[in-house]
Amino acid sequence: MSAHEPFQRAMAVVDLGAIERNCSHLKLGLQGNAELCAVVKSNGYGHGMAECAEAAMRGGASRLAVATATEAFELRSRLPEAPILVMGALTGAELDVAMQARAEIAVWRMGFLAEISERAAMFGFRPRVHVKYDTGMGRLGDRDPRVIEALVDDAAADERVELGGLWTHFATADEDDESFLREQLQRFREVAVPAKERHRGITLHAANSAATLRGADFHFDMVRCGVAIYGLDPFGEDASSHGLQPAMSLHGYLAEVKAALAGDSVGYGRTWTAESDTLVGVIPVGYGDGYRRGLSNRADVLVDGHRVPGVGTISMDNLTVDLGPGSEIEMGAPVVLLGAQGEDEIAAEELAERLGTINYEITCGISLRVPRAYRR
Ligand SMILES: *Cc1c(COP(=O)(O)O)cnc(C)c1O
């Protein structure tokens, strides 16, 4: 074995310092006293929920948001004091879990508000509710401004709950054309501004990362940033142009280096055949680790500070690369599949583009088989 035999086959390194810095940077860009809510759903976009939540709070986030009751419950066990908002829909059983976690809850139906109110007495605490207005996302929330106004006033009048917020979510904040985004903003303002006049303490919030970066018009009292806190570009281009630094890198190693003679094929289905004699490296990382099969014959990896092309079909546990004829790269050499090595870098945005998807799905998809190592 070579001098640099790695400790284990694959590892996702998460730079918590980067998350902390990304949050301070986002926070500094907010208007007035707007709060930063760090969105840590889906295991912190694959980065690790609780660790990222703690880093975000060190960086100036004052609130956290998740999608599910179970996520809130897990997060509560690590962060006993932090305000946690559950943004998603909840079944009755999930509502109980969210209440146990002392989470803040999204509401857009009278019946659900009544259910929260009834159960609140049982749990002996006064849950904060956030009324969700569907201004055009067409997903959760109610579209009727009068229903929203009534919910806001009812929640405020109900002793057993606390009116925490009024909020919406944008469908096209990441697109160049702002027209629909502005329409949604206008609809939200028409209900939100008078609601704030009636209920001074209410938190108005609308922006995801993309809207947050577009400017103060979208900030209101709080922004909900997910992708940007992990140093990913919500516009799918270049995170550094927004002063953000990617937090996750994915590491493997060359477990095998072997000669492929002209005409030799590699991997399932023989989708790649050596045109001339070359050396092939085998990296024990595959789609079982979240390195997607759709990247077969399409993505590069970094070895020895340089790009080499992935060749052949990516399998569940292995992928193969063409090291080139006469390569002196040794077995055991460290490989970077996502992130920087030497002068070069493979960004989540690059892999997403090759797959026809978004950077969110790249980091979210790194499976739990890959251990996360945290660095500060
Ligand atoms: C996931 C999510 C966010 C965060 O979106 P990013 O684009 O990752 O910043 C904000 N609000 C809601 C309702 C979400 O579901």
Side-chain angles (χ1 to χ4, degrees):
M1 253 297 159
S2 85
H4 37 226
E5 191 190 19
F7 179 58
Q8 52 193 344
R9 54 181 283 279
M11 171 104 83
V13 175
V14 176
D15 182 348
L16 296 174
I19 293 177
E20 191 175 328
R21 287 188 294 279
N22 292 335
C23 286
S24 335
H25 177 69
L26 289 164
K27 175 83 175 118
L28 271 174
L30 298 183
Q31 66 121 5
N33 295 323
E35 287 186 87
L36 173 62
C37 172
V39 179
V40 295
K41 63 192 180 188
S42 196
N43 195 31
Y45 292 41
H47 295 66
M49 179 171 62
E51 289 80 2
C52 294
E54 286 166 351
M57 295 195 87
R58 284 194 296 274
S62 48
R63 293 163 170 275
L64 302 169
V66 293
T68 75
T70 313
E71 289 173 337
F73 194 84
E74 272 176 38
L75 199 50
R76 176 58 73 220
S77 69
R78 283 280 291 270
L79 290 130
E81 301 300 332
I84 302 173
L85 168 64
V86 181
M87 300 185 292
L90 299 170
T91 67
E94 288 167 345
L95 175 58
D96 286 353
V97 173
M99 300 265 242
Q100 273 167 35
R102 284 172 286 117
E104 305 185 12
I105 296 158
V107 56
W108 57 89
R109 276 184 283 107
M110 284 296 181
F112 192 60
L113 179 61
E115 203 176 330
I116 296 171
S117 173
E118 264 165 44
R119 290 180 194 232
M122 245 166 53
F123 282 91
F125 101 110
R126 193 160 167 245
R128 280 165 65 91
V129 300
H130 292 246
V131 175
K132 178 137 200 210
Y133 182 18
D134 178 5
T135 56
M137 180 66 165
R139 217 170 53 176
L140 304 177
D142 197 290
R143 285 184 191 276
D144 184 344
R146 278 154 313 190
V147 170
I148 297 302
E149 278 160 11
L151 270 167
V152 164
D153 294 341
D154 282 18
D158 189 334
E159 300 272 287
R160 293 187 290 188
V161 304
E162 186 185 339
L163 174 62
L166 170 58
W167 64 303
T168 193
H169 191 42
F170 297 121
T172 59
D174 57 335
E175 291 176 16
D176 288 341
D177 181 352
E178 281 198 353
S179 53
F180 190 68
L181 177 65
R182 294 276 163 195
E183 254 177 64
Q184 281 199 268
L185 179 64
Q186 187 50 30
R187 272 183 218 136
F188 184 60
R189 271 207 196 111
E190 276 164 22
V191 175
V193 171
K196 181 104 184 169
E197 275 161 19
R198 297 199 300 284
H199 312 285
R200 286 269 148 216
I202 193 175
T203 302
L204 303 179
H205 51 108
N208 56 2
S209 298
T212 300
L213 292 173
R214 278 180 189 274
D217 281 3
F218 301 97
H219 294 170
F220 294 95
D221 301 317
M222 177 176 105
V223 298
R224 306 182 306 271
C225 289
V227 83
I229 76 170
Y230 307 102
L232 302 169
D233 183 1
F235 306 99
E237 284 158 13
D238 176 14
S240 67
S241 70
H242 306 288
L244 303 168
Q245 188 191 342
M248 187 194 280
S249 53
L250 178 63
H251 303 258
Y253 78 107
L254 286 183
E256 188 65 84
V257 175
K258 70 207 310 175
L261 303 179
D264 283 351
S265 69
V266 156
Y268 287 119
R270 307 188 68 204
T271 62
W272 181 82
T273 303
E275 278 175 19
S276 52
D277 296 359
T278 189
L279 287 164
V280 164
V282 184
I283 302 159
V285 170
Y287 64 78
D289 302 291
Y291 192 83
R292 298 258 305 274
R293 187 170 175 278
L295 291 170
S296 298
N297 293 305
R298 291 174 152 228
D300 299 332
V301 307
L302 302 176
V303 194
D304 204 25
H306 300 288
R307 279 173 185 262
V308 296
V311 294
T313 303
I314 293 163
S315 47
M316 190 183 293
D317 315 308
N318 292 287
L319 66 95
T320 35
V321 294
D322 183 2
L323 297 172
S327 165
E328 289 182 357
I329 300 170
E330 286 178 41
M331 217 159 82
V335 173
V336 169
L337 300 125
L338 169 68
Q341 192 191 58
E343 298 288 287
D344 211 337
E345 176 171 4
I346 293 174
E349 289 77 12
E350 174 182 332
L351 295 181
E353 212 211 314
R354 308 249 166 139
L355 275 168
T357 184
I358 51 174
N359 45 9
Y360 298 64
E361 210 182 16
I362 302 298
T363 61
C364 264
I366 303 304
S367 75
L368 291 177
R369 185 162 85 175
V370 180
R372 269 65 171 170
Y374 296 100
R375 213 177 64 197
R376 281 190 65 177

